[in-house]
Amino acid sequence: MFDFTKEEEELEKSKNAYSQITIADKKTDQAILEGIRRANALKIKKKRLLPIKILLAASILMLVFITSVRISDTVAAYASNVPGLEKIVELIQYDKGLLAAAENDYIQKVNLSDEHEGFKVTVDSVIHDESNLIIFFKYASKEEKMGFSEISLLDQDGKPLPFKRNKWSFAESDPLSEVRFSLAEGNILPENLIISFEIGLSTGKVFEEKWNIPITLNKEKLSPKKEYMLNKKVEIENQKITFKKVVSYPTHTAVHVEYDPENSKKIFGIHGLRVEDEKGESWNTNTVQDTLISENERIIYLESFFFAGSKKLYLHFDSIRALEKDELWVEIDPESNQILKAPKDGKLTKAEQRKNELAIQLEADRKFIDHQIFFDYAIDSDGNKIIEEGTFGASTDGRFIRYFVPFPTNKKISGPIKLELLDYPAVIKQDIKIKIN
């Protein structure tokens, strides 16, 4: 299992350093978003309980950036217009779409709790639309460190609802935390539902009993989506992309994108994708991960322009990340730690076996760690998956990022081993602007 002791020391140093800094208002959103993205980058794949150590490390990062940045006059004005929601406004100030939702009285105050075993969970407020349910909650505990192994939605009879959790971020006891659920098209949230929390301790214990909070959604705080059909194709260095449609909800904007399966390169992502209006105001990417519809189709989420009332809207981006499909598989000799095959740009510089894990070094800006996990698994020379219970992690050091893949060093593995790249910092620059309406 990857040891995050070094990361915790760096977090503490960062916390002390940032406590001495005041950031200008115009940099507020950018700074907070960076903090939350860095916190999300530390999330770990685990079979059951999200490790308490990682949860707290991510919380420290998020709190550092939130508490070290002075709230702008605009945000303060929003807070004064929505009495009782000041903490919510502080939490969502990195997302101008949600700020607009707050300003337009779209947040429903709940303030209901469940308490037992010495732990209390309170649902403070919710925002919901046809695509999303966002829950703001807080929790308090006795001396033992706690974490959440699962948060789920149930109907009023206690049966699970088929809604996918697509984001959660945690703060320490008093500040608010956030969890989001996405709704597939055609699924409708019932008016009465239960938010169910499963709690675990730093000792590894997970309580069988759940913390269940029943709520009733205010259907008056629900506006229909705005849909813009595009089906517009663009081409970047012979790589074709189709922007199928843009859908605006009060909580976010969904951009439906399809990559041509005949492209010679695998497209990993689109840089700087945003919606702009005729005045140059932009709604940028938020912290929710893309939804993968298929290998070549995905939904990319941006801030919501739902309440903006702009006359003209455009999709705008600066570049894409893409790599030749014949360079997607990396080969490594586990005995000599030699990289036998990798992308031709030479950014994968070193591989090294450690105790029950394989460390792979990438030369890249530390911001690249914000993207999805680099590798998912390894296969041996016979094509068998090498699966070892443990964690997938990453750390940064100067101009390098090190990725850690579970790898059983106590077993004889038939090499060389192969790993498929799930993302890569190969950038193709081209400025593209598409008219929406």
Side-chain angles (χ1 to χ4, degrees), residues 2-32:
F2 177 51
D3 185 2
F4 275 84
T5 303
K6 181 178 179 182
E7 269 57 41
E8 289 181 333
E9 293 173 353
E10 291 178 355
L11 289 173
E12 187 61 33
K13 291 178 183 178
S14 298
K15 182 177 180 181
N16 294 333
Y18 278 105
S19 66
Q20 307 300 320
I21 300 173
T22 300
I23 301 176
D25 288 346
K26 66 181 180 179
K27 294 184 179 179
T28 297
D29 292 351
Q30 180 181 356
I32 296 174

Side-chain angles (χ1 to χ4, degrees), residues 48-50 52 55 121 137-139 146-151 168 170 177 197-200:
R48 186 158 177 81
L49 179 64
L50 183 70
I52 304 297
L55 183 151
V121 181
F137 66 97
K138 56 186 175 181
Y139 57 95
M146 62 175 282
F148 295 92
S149 57
E150 190 55 78
I151 303 175
W168 59 2
F170 300 99
S177 299
F197 297 83
E198 185 178 73
I199 290 178

Side-chain angles (χ1 to χ4, degrees), residues 34 69 86 90 117 201 221 230 241 299 304 308 370 392 406:
E34 174 67 12
V69 178
E86 294 88 350
E90 288 181 23
E117 301 285 352
L201 305 180
K221 293 184 182 290
L230 300 181
I241 305 173
I299 303 174
S304 171
D370 298 343
F392 293 74

Side-chain angles (χ1 to χ4, degrees), residues 385-404:
K385 282 188 180 180
I386 303 169
I387 300 175
E388 179 80 0
E389 182 179 353
T391 61
F392 293 74
S395 67
T396 61
D397 181 13
R399 60 193 180 95
F400 295 103
I401 300 174
R402 290 184 180 87
Y403 293 91
F404 304 91

Side-chain angles (χ1 to χ4, degrees), residues 224-273:
K225 63 189 177 185
K226 300 175 183 178
E227 194 166 11
Y228 305 85
M229 299 304 299
L230 300 181
N231 289 318
K232 294 183 178 179
K233 296 182 180 180
V234 298
E235 191 169 326
I236 303 173
E237 289 192 7
N238 299 318
Q239 310 307 307
K240 298 174 182 177
I241 305 173
T242 299
F243 290 87
K244 301 176 70 175
K245 63 180 178 179
V246 174
V247 187
S248 179
Y249 302 92
T251 60
H252 66 268
T253 297
V255 183
H256 294 248
V257 179
E258 186 173 16
Y259 306 134
D260 191 326
E262 299 301 318
N263 285 341
S264 64
K265 296 185 178 184
K266 170 80 171 181
I267 298 176
F268 300 113
I270 301 174
H271 280 201
L273 184 65

Side-chain angles (χ1 to χ4, degrees), residues 327-434:
E327 296 185 58
L328 293 176
W329 284 90
V330 175
E331 294 185 19
I332 297 172
D333 183 340
E335 294 187 3
S336 65
N337 290 328
Q338 183 179 358
I339 298 176
L340 305 177
K341 184 178 183 297
K344 297 173 184 176
D345 60 14
K347 291 181 180 179
L348 281 176
T349 59
K350 185 168 61 175
E352 179 184 5
Q353 277 197 60
R354 299 184 179 184
K355 185 178 180 180
N356 293 325
E357 67 184 12
L358 184 66
I360 301 169
Q361 182 170 281
L362 173 72
E363 183 176 356
D365 189 292
R366 66 180 300 156
K367 291 181 180 179
F368 183 71
I369 205 172
D370 298 343
H371 301 293
Q372 67 171 311
I373 196 164
F374 202 48
F375 299 111
D376 200 5
Y377 59 86
I379 60 175
D380 63 20
S381 59
D382 297 321
N384 301 312
K385 282 188 180 180
I386 303 169
I387 300 175
E388 179 80 0
E389 182 179 353
T391 61
F392 293 74
S395 67
T396 61
D397 181 13
R399 60 193 180 95
F400 295 103
I401 300 174
R402 290 184 180 87
Y403 293 91
F404 304 91
V405 180
F407 188 82
T409 52
N410 60 339
K411 298 179 182 178
K412 181 67 175 177
I413 303 295
S414 176
I417 62 170
K418 296 181 179 181
L419 305 98
E420 184 180 12
L421 290 167
L422 301 180
D423 207 333
Y424 197 76
V427 176
I428 304 173
K429 294 183 179 181
Q430 187 169 330
D431 191 75
I432 301 289
K433 197 168 187 177
I434 302 168

Side-chain angles (χ1 to χ4, degrees), residues 286-333:
N286 61 22
T287 58
V288 179
Q289 291 185 345
D290 299 354
T291 294
L292 302 182
I293 306 299
S294 66
E295 182 180 358
N296 294 298
E297 189 173 356
R298 65 181 58 205
I299 303 174
I300 302 172
Y301 298 104
L302 310 177
E303 296 170 323
S304 171
F305 60 87
F306 188 89
F307 297 103
S310 303
K311 295 180 180 179
K312 295 182 180 180
L313 295 167
Y314 305 88
L315 270 180
H316 196 177
F317 65 95
D318 314 306
S319 59
I320 62 173
R321 295 191 312 282
L323 186 68
E324 292 290 346
K325 292 179 180 178
D326 62 4
E327 296 185 58
L328 293 176
W329 284 90
V330 175
E331 294 185 19
I332 297 172
D333 183 340

